[in-house]
Amino acid sequence: MKDQLIIFDTTMRDGEQSPGASMTKDEKIRIARALERLKVNVMEAGFPAASVGDFEAVKAVADIIKDSTVCGLARALDKDIDRAGEALKGAKQSRIHTFIATSPIHMQMKLNMTPEQVIEHAVKAVKRARQYTDDVEFSPEDAGRSDEDFLCRILEAVINAGATTLNIPDTVGYSIPQQFGATIKNLIERIPNSDKAIFSVHCHNDLGLAVANSLSAVMNGARQVECTINGLGERAGNASLEEVVMAVRTRHDVFDCQTRIDTREILTCSKLISSITGFPVQPNKAIVGANAFAHEAGIHQDGILKSRETYEIMRAEDVGWSANRMVLGKHSGRNAFKSRIQELGFEFESEAELNDAFARFKQLADKKHEIFDEDLQTLISETTIETEDEHIKLVSLKVCSETGEVPNAVVTLRVNNQEVTGNSIGGGVVDATLKAIEQLVKSDASLELYSVNNVTNGTDAQGEVTVRLEKAGRIVNGLGADTDIVIASAKAYINALNKLLNPNSRQHPQKSEV
Ligand code: KIV
Ligand code: ZN
């Protein structure tokens, strides 16, 4: 029997810390259900003390998830731990993850504490967390740049205080695989009570080494990896779940452990996260990129036809690519639509919401005859977008593009229940449309990112547009989808404006009320 490698997903916590990737409570519920189907062992649902919104989201996830442990992050402070304990009260299996920095630079510059004070805080935090749950994780933040002797001391102390998982974060992505693996091995060998806890790693990707560092740690005794779908996360992101899982599975000759992940759910999760956050997946991304299993060179195609293993080390269908099939069409009925959406993990809250989504589905099926799972995911994202506070709505859009003429757009919006019309010229019709909207709304936001992705293949595919806006340090992502990419662009821009200008919408989780 091989050891189990625990997969701890932090897409809803560290992933959410990517600029503009804040998730609503409903979005977290959808993600949590997808992660439960993926069979992650632990899902970190957020940082309950960060804001009321974060608390509510963690609580909602804790209340519905049964087959994975639900975890909440807390600094080594009584108020954070109490908040996490409260949010997780309804969970079938809960974990509190508490952390404090241990590198010299963090202790001096950020915490202004001596190493002894840091140990004292850590021990107190773990003991307090144990009053809420038997499953307590401790992280020495910036362990990648911490002194190994000090790590041994603090980790021994927190195990004695009741920590059951010790997570070693490479917070700033500074480590190198061989050295990081050696650190894990040394810690396990040197800490006298190390057999009482599971060693975990949490690697950031600043040098593009997050997965390599995580795998090196696994080879040296780590039995939990913290990772995110699509490698989402602070700055360059975290170790990508799909890469870690498929490396361990594909190279079972090298790893003496295995995960319980249902790999066929990987692609659905990847697409869901991409569509909720507006972070597209690069085509050459391992496992989940559009080209990950595409063979272009003639010599490769020839080899694959003769024997698949000549150029393929994994089967596309094992990570969910075969799920990319037509599921519904224009003649599909309401029940078929509802049950497929439920299979994708989404529950309609009311008949009205179902009716609205079904009406959109029919409109889409008229324009695009084959409806895939990806189309349904996008459609649900759109339905959720439209049920959020909307001060600005698109009423109509007319664009003109002609060779030799300057492109222009005429846009009518409803802003706080009043109809306004404006027009603009632009470098192209998308540019003209966004300029016309901006003239009407006068948000003064700067456009940080504009990207279009096709949801499925073919020229009749929906285009999914992401727009990132920044104003006074606040960053939001807007999403819009349509078979017409100019309309999708207008929807995405308006969605971003609604988030930016809505005083109730959630801030970056760690910039808000902490
Ligand atoms: O990167 C980091 O150090 C973290 C900790 C909270 C584990 O995210
Ligand atoms: Zn992190």
Side-chain angles (χ1 to χ4, degrees):
M1 272 292 276
K2 284 191 168 192
D3 278 1
Q4 177 169 197
L5 178 63
I6 297 168
I7 296 297
F8 176 116
D9 178 276
T10 182
T11 309
M12 292 186 281
R13 198 278 297 169
D14 214 317
E16 195 190 24
Q17 289 172 217
S18 308
S22 288
M23 298 153 189
T24 64
K25 182 173 92 180
D26 289 344
E27 286 167 344
K28 283 202 175 180
I29 290 174
R30 282 171 64 199
I31 295 171
R33 288 205 170 108
L35 292 175
E36 191 179 35
R37 284 197 304 278
L38 184 65
K39 289 182 148 297
V40 300
N41 303 82
V42 188
M43 56 178 86
E44 191 166 44
F47 183 6
S51 68
V52 174
D54 232 336
F55 176 90
E56 295 295 343
V58 175
K59 182 172 168 7
V61 170
D63 290 348
I64 57 161
I65 294 302
K66 301 287 170 252
D67 194 35
S68 305
T69 297
V70 180
C71 176
L73 183 70
R75 291 169 299 179
L77 296 174
D78 290 356
K79 62 174 182 173
D80 276 33
I81 291 164
D82 294 346
R83 221 40 198 145
E86 181 67 20
L88 294 167
K89 219 155 59 187
K92 190 163 171 225
Q93 303 155 76
S94 67
R95 174 180 295 188
I96 295 179
H97 175 192
T98 185
F99 72 100
I100 190 163
T102 50
S103 62
I105 183 168
H106 277 232
M107 290 193 287
Q108 280 158 27
M109 309 302 290
K110 191 178 86 172
L111 300 174
N112 196 17
M113 282 187 198
T114 63
E116 295 315 314
Q117 287 171 321
V118 168
I119 295 183
E120 214 177 285
H121 269 73
V123 165
K124 189 165 167 257
V126 168
K127 286 189 176 155
R128 194 169 185 103
R130 280 295 300 245
Q131 292 171 8
Y132 293 97
T133 170
D134 291 344
D135 187 348
V136 173
E137 173 169 326
F138 172 76
S139 290
E141 191 191 6
D142 203 16
R145 292 188 299 169
S146 300
D147 174 61
E148 205 176 283
D149 290 345
F150 182 56
L151 284 179
C152 287
R153 280 179 57 213
I154 194 166
L155 295 176
E156 182 182 350
V158 294
I159 298 174
N160 284 334
T164 42
T165 300
L166 302 180
N167 179 46
I168 312 302
D170 182 21
T171 304
V172 291
Y174 181 70
S175 297
I176 299 294
Q178 201 184 13
Q179 166 242 322
F180 193 63
T183 301
I184 300 302
K185 187 166 189 280
N186 289 344
L187 292 176
I188 295 174
E189 280 173 6
R190 290 184 56 196
I191 298 171
N193 50 1
S194 64
D195 59 321
K196 307 240 165 9
I198 302 233
F199 278 71
S200 163
V201 289
H202 172 113
C203 298
H204 279 272
N205 205 28
D206 300 67
L207 292 173
L209 293 171
V211 171
N213 283 331
S214 305
L215 294 176
S216 172
V218 172
M219 287 172 153
N220 284 282
R223 284 296 174 265
Q224 173 177 288
V225 173
E226 300 200 355
C227 43
T228 56
I229 304 288
N230 298 340
L232 196 69
E234 186 89 43
R235 305 182 311 280
N238 289 69
S240 129
L241 180 148
E242 57 279 8
E243 293 176 22
V244 170
V245 167
M246 290 313 288
V248 170
R249 178 179 148 135
T250 307
R251 295 308 308 269
H252 52 85
D253 54 327
V254 174
F255 293 98
D256 50 3
C257 53
Q258 62 194 10
T259 76
R260 67 162 201 174
I261 295 295
D262 182 349
T263 59
R264 291 162 307 176
E265 295 290 329
I266 284 178
L267 193 67
T268 305
C269 286
S270 165
K271 296 211 180 243
L272 178 66
I273 296 303
S274 173
S275 111
I276 284 178
T277 59
F279 280 57
V281 174
Q282 78 203 50
N284 59 331
K285 165 86 176 61
I287 321 291
V288 292
N291 293 348
F293 293 89
H295 297 275
E296 191 64 25
I299 192 165
H300 287 204
Q301 288 173 350
D302 181 54
I304 289 275
L305 288 175
K306 289 178 176 143
S307 165
R308 179 179 184 145
E309 283 83 31
T310 48
Y311 286 99
E312 267 186 14
I313 57 165
M314 297 166 275
R315 297 185 324 159
E317 54 270 39
D318 288 349
V319 295
W321 279 100
S322 57
N324 183 8
R325 61 192 194 277
M326 192 194 86
V327 286
L328 297 173
K330 98 190 236 170
H331 300 296
S332 305
R334 202 162 168 279
N335 277 343
F337 170 74
K338 185 178 168 194
S339 68
R340 187 63 201 151
I341 294 270
Q342 279 169 341
E343 279 164 30
L344 290 173
F346 184 76
E347 294 291 338
F348 291 105
E349 273 176 16
S350 62
E351 275 301 289
E353 198 176 70
L354 166 61
N355 292 342
D356 178 48
F358 187 60
R360 283 162 190 271
F361 162 74
K362 283 290 180 185
Q363 278 166 12
L364 182 62
D366 272 341
K367 291 193 242 169
K368 179 180 188 299
H369 300 302
E370 297 175 322
I371 307 286
F372 297 87
D373 281 348
E374 291 87 336
D375 290 310
L376 295 178
Q377 298 273 24
T378 307
L379 191 128
I380 299 164
S381 294
E382 286 243 295
T383 309
T384 340
I385 285 167
E386 301 228 340
T387 53
E388 285 165 12
D389 279 348
E390 273 193 303
H391 299 280
I392 309 163
K393 277 183 188 238
L394 178 66
V395 177
S396 67
L397 168 63
K398 186 173 165 193
V399 291
C400 182
S401 168
E402 198 179 333
T403 38
E405 296 295 325
V406 182
N408 66 73
V410 182
V411 177
T412 300
L413 302 178
R414 187 166 300 119
V415 182
N416 293 329
N417 287 327
Q418 234 187 322
E419 253 181 43
V420 284
T421 299
N423 61 71
S424 177
I425 56 168
V429 284
V430 169
D431 188 40
T433 301
L434 302 198
K435 282 185 171 141
I437 297 172
E438 182 55 31
Q439 265 180 27
L440 292 170
V441 177
K442 298 189 178 41
S443 74
D444 242 0
S446 64
L447 181 70
E448 301 280 301
L449 176 136
Y450 170 87
S451 82
V452 190
N453 261 289
N454 48 337
V455 174
T456 54
N457 294 330
T459 49
D460 69 344
Q462 292 192 86
E464 191 172 48
V465 174
T466 305
V467 162
R468 185 175 303 160
L469 296 180
E470 191 269 345
K471 188 177 176 185
R474 176 132 186 257
I475 299 172
V476 293
N477 281 341
L479 282 182
D482 201 282
T483 46
D484 179 329
I485 59 163
V486 188
I487 296 177
S489 305
K491 286 181 178 174
Y493 195 74
I494 290 169
N495 177 232
L497 288 174
N498 275 320
K499 287 185 183 170
L500 197 66
L501 305 177
N502 177 359
N504 299 325
S505 83
R506 283 184 61 217
Q507 306 261 340
H508 183 286
Q510 300 198 0
K511 274 196 188 138
S512 39
E513 294 156 28
V514 178

